[in-house]
Structures are given as C-alpha cells and as structure tokens.
Amino acid sequence: MKSANEREQLIKNINGLLNQAYDSTLDKIYALLQKIEDEEEEEELKAYELAKKSAEIDGSVSWEEAKKELKQEIKKEVA
C-alpha cells in the first residue's frame, strides 16, 4: 500500500496526464476504471459469500450477532 504522500503525488501525475488526454482516451480510461471497479466488487461479493458459508460450516457468528448475544447475556445477568 502506498503512503499518503506517494498516493497524492500519483494522483497529481494522473490528473496532469488526464488533462492533456484526448476525449477518446478519456472514454477508454473511464471504461477501464469501471471494469476494474466492477471486478473488485465481484471479488468482494465472492469473499463475503465464502466467509458466510465458512461461518455456517464452522459455527462462527458475525460480529453483529455476537454483540446482540452479549447484550442479551448482560440483560440476563442484570435481571
């Protein structure tokens, strides 16, 4: 992962090149970025589904479910 300074400089460099690019090149770059974003979303969805199946198999629970259970246990102890 890039540092904040490296990332900022890279974005500045990209912006400089984008400002000089032809419209057709901008269209291609935009399409490529959209494709990359779609692929990343698909990978995240697959990872989520895999984690969900794994949790079902090994009996683990999500953090949200664990918090709910903990709150219920605390209420039982207080009552």
Side-chain angles (χ1 to χ4, degrees), residues 7 18 23 52 57:
R7 184 175 169 81
L18 289 174
D23 289 344
K52 189 174 167 184
I57 292 170

Side-chain angles (χ1 to χ4, degrees), residues 2 7 12 20-22 24 26 33 35-36 39 43 46 48 55-56 60-61 68 70 73-74 76 79:
K2 296 188 180 301
R7 184 175 169 81
K12 285 180 183 178
Q20 298 172 19
Y22 293 113
S24 61
L26 293 175
L33 290 172
K35 181 179 177 186
I36 291 168
E39 289 172 355
E43 287 176 17
K46 286 179 183 177
Y48 169 77
E56 290 172 0
S60 61
V61 296
K68 286 179 186 176
L70 183 58
E73 290 297 320
I74 292 172
K76 287 179 185 176

Side-chain angles (χ1 to χ4, degrees), residues 24-77:
S24 61
T25 302
L26 293 175
D27 291 338
K28 290 175 186 176
I29 292 169
Y30 181 75
L32 178 60
L33 290 172
Q34 285 295 106
K35 181 179 177 186
I36 291 168
E37 185 176 329
D38 291 346
E39 289 172 355
E40 288 174 352
E41 287 178 8
E42 186 176 322
E43 287 176 17
E44 290 173 1
L45 182 58
K46 286 179 183 177
Y48 169 77
E49 291 296 328
L50 182 60
K52 189 174 167 184
K53 286 180 184 177
S54 177
E56 290 172 0
I57 292 170
D58 66 18
S60 61
V61 296
S62 71
W63 175 240
E64 292 301 320
E65 291 173 1
K67 288 193 296 187
K68 286 179 186 176
E69 289 178 12
L70 183 58
K71 285 179 184 179
Q72 290 173 354
E73 290 297 320
I74 292 172
K75 285 180 183 179
K76 287 179 185 176
E77 290 178 8

